[in-house]
Amino acid sequence: MTVALAPARPQDLVASEWIKLRSLRSTYFMLLAAAVIALAIGMVVCSVDASEVAHPLRHTPVDPLADSFIGFVIAQLIFAALGVLAMTGEYSSGLIRITFAAVPARRAVLAAKAAVICMVTLAVGLVTALAAFLAGQAILSTQHLGISLSHPGAARAVIAAGLFLPAVALTGLAVGVLIRNAAGALAVVVAVLFVVPSFLSGSNRWVVDIANALPPTAIRRLVSLHPVPHAPSVTECVIVIIAYPLLTLIAAAIVLHRRDT
């Protein structure tokens, strides 16, 4: 006699994925490391700016927003790695077969995992962004360079920085589904978020267009008071940051449904 399995309820799937994520010590370590690094780098850069502002050879204006959030260049990689490992860890351990045997609706599993990753990284991301802003402005204010949260663009920068981290974490999760190998998936997200943008400089039109289509350029524009030349518009930046996790998750859902584990 065949026994039909009752469909898993969404709340049960989310609870299951939450248990998986919080049971890993690496989750806490990575989130803490990302927050500390983001804060520390931003504070160091703001301290340097505050100490050099009166230097006669300094000609670059201080951007109190961009300086506060410069540590997110490294934090984004850690958040993306968290998303990658949340998926590839199950593939490497073989747990994914048990998960799909218990819940044949693979897209529902992916949705639950994405929901948990999004909620956790969103909470940590927003707290880290606000702390980075406040710490940076406190340091810069010693030289009357700091701005308040009510300054035009400041609140937008804090929200954008906080939302950017879950966006890259979800992108990492989707890439983990597509590649199923931690090393390969990490190489892809590091290339997109760090390596490729570092080589794209200049005023050539195609170089500018490629750079403007990458998440690091988008977030740099949203957290800057003084945008660089040829920077994309705020609307374009928002579209880029939303498009990467959305499109990669759609691709992951399609691939996950069609192939074997």
Side-chain angles (χ1 to χ4, degrees), residues 86-182:
M87 196 70 221
T88 57
E90 290 201 45
Y91 279 110
S92 62
S93 66
L95 179 61
I96 195 70
R97 294 186 180 88
I98 300 175
T99 299
F100 288 153
V103 187
R106 299 182 178 187
R107 291 174 180 170
V109 173
L110 177 62
K113 193 177 290 290
V116 170
I117 290 291
C118 183
M119 288 186 291
V120 172
T121 55
L122 177 61
V124 177
L126 288 174
V127 171
T128 303
L130 181 59
F133 173 80
L134 295 177
Q137 302 319 304
I139 294 171
L140 292 172
S141 293
T142 60
Q143 298 295 328
H144 308 289
L145 298 173
I147 60 175
S148 67
L149 193 57
S150 61
H151 191 281
R156 181 195 69 198
V158 172
I159 295 173
L163 295 178
F164 178 67
L165 294 180
V168 295
L170 290 173
T171 302
L173 175 69
V175 173
V177 173
L178 295 172
I179 297 180
R180 296 191 291 183
N181 176 269

Side-chain angles (χ1 to χ4, degrees), residues 19 26 45 57-58 66-67 70 90 103 106 111 126 146 151 159 162 197 209 211 222-223 243 258:
I19 292 173
S26 60
V45 171
L57 297 180
R58 183 184 177 101
D67 290 349
I70 196 159
E90 290 201 45
V103 187
R106 299 182 178 187
L126 288 174
H151 191 281
I159 295 173
D209 289 342
L222 292 175
V223 300
R258 292 183 176 180

Side-chain angles (χ1 to χ4, degrees), residues 33 35 41 66 72 85 101 106-107 115 122 136 146 166 176 180 200 202 213 220 223 254 259:
I41 294 178
F72 279 60
L85 296 177
R106 299 182 178 187
R107 291 174 180 170
L122 177 61
R180 296 191 291 183
L200 294 175
R220 191 181 307 117
V223 300
I254 294 172
R259 74 181 175 200

